[in-house]
Structures are given as C-alpha cells and as structure tokens.
Amino acid sequence: MTDPIADYLTRIRNAIKAGRRIVEIPASNVKKEITKVLYDKGFIQGYKFEEGVSSQGLIKIALKYNPSTKLSAIVNLERISRPGLRKYAKAGELPRVLNGLGIAILSTSKGVMTDKEARQHHVGGEVLCYVY
C-alpha cells in the first residue's frame, strides 16, 4: 500500500456512506494520532486500539450520527498531501477549512494536531487532510 492515510480516510468515508456504526482499520502511529484528533474535535463518538489482533494492531472507530436525521458528523474527508505531491504550510500560512468550521489535520514537529493548535504553537508542517 503506497498511501495508508488515504486508505484510512477512504475506509471511514465508505463506512459513513454505508451507514455503519463501527469501522475497523489497520493501525499505525499516525493513524492513531489522527483518530485522537477526530475524537477530541467531536467528529467520532469513540475509538479503541486493539493490539495483538494482527501484526500491526487494529483501530476500531465508532462513528457519530445525528439521532434524528441519521446524518454523520463528518460531511467530508479530503486528503491533501499525497506521497506523489507533498503539501507543506508555514506557521503564518496555515489553511482555514470552511472559514473555520472544519479542521485541517497537520503533521508537525510537535506531533499531529489541528490547524488551530498549530497556530497557537506557531509551527507549520505537512497538511494531511481536511475534515468538515
């Protein structure tokens, strides 16, 4: 697999379109950090890391839906930086997603964080994806 983060986002996107409550994804350290950011910002209901299931482990993500309309909390997941074309942003040029309604997830020297947290820490980095 050449792009595991794109696979991660695609699995979540497909589970939302199929109306699934739980999605299972092969684990990696970056995927775990992205999952924590999605949980902290309220895009997913919960998550669990399972070790020993396979050689790399498993991430189980409980997706969040509106109980009355059955719409997902995640409207769109968009991969920005790809292996063939990396996208980096300086601290002063960090992207704003939907005028601040969405988040950009960045990989910085201080770890994986949102664009708002990166502005507070005055760090730039690789723009992994947009979530809204």
Side-chain angles (χ1 to χ4, degrees):
M1 182 182 319
T2 57
D3 193 1
I5 297 173
D7 177 63
Y8 171 88
L9 298 175
T10 301
R11 286 177 188 243
I12 293 175
R13 201 178 300 119
N14 289 343
I16 290 170
K17 286 185 180 180
R20 301 279 172 117
R21 292 278 176 208
I22 295 175
V23 60
E24 295 180 353
I25 302 169
S28 74
N29 289 335
V30 174
K31 292 179 196 176
K32 287 179 182 179
E33 293 301 316
I34 293 173
T35 304
K36 289 177 186 176
V37 169
L38 290 175
Y39 178 73
D40 291 340
K41 298 303 171 190
F43 286 104
I44 59 176
Q45 190 172 353
Y47 62 91
K48 184 165 67 168
F49 302 134
E50 291 186 356
E51 301 295 327
V53 176
S54 64
S55 61
Q56 59 192 21
L58 201 64
I59 303 172
K60 285 190 175 183
I61 298 175
L63 299 172
K64 186 187 246 184
Y65 292 94
N66 184 339
S68 61
T69 61
K70 307 290 187 212
L71 292 176
S72 172
I74 298 174
V75 176
N76 193 13
L77 293 165
E78 186 179 344
R79 179 77 159 120
I80 302 303
S81 182
R82 302 176 284 124
L85 182 63
R86 300 285 185 191
K87 298 282 186 177
Y88 296 95
K90 296 179 183 176
E93 302 169 359
L94 293 172
R96 287 175 48 103
V97 181
L98 284 180
N99 248 353
L101 295 176
I103 61 170
I105 299 178
L106 290 98
S107 175
T108 68
S109 58
K110 295 187 178 184
V112 176
M113 62 180 67
T114 65
D115 55 331
K116 294 170 188 169
E117 293 168 347
R119 278 190 201 91
Q120 290 174 348
H121 292 295
H122 301 292
V123 293
E126 182 181 356
V127 182
L128 299 176
C129 61
Y130 292 160
V131 182
Y132 53 91

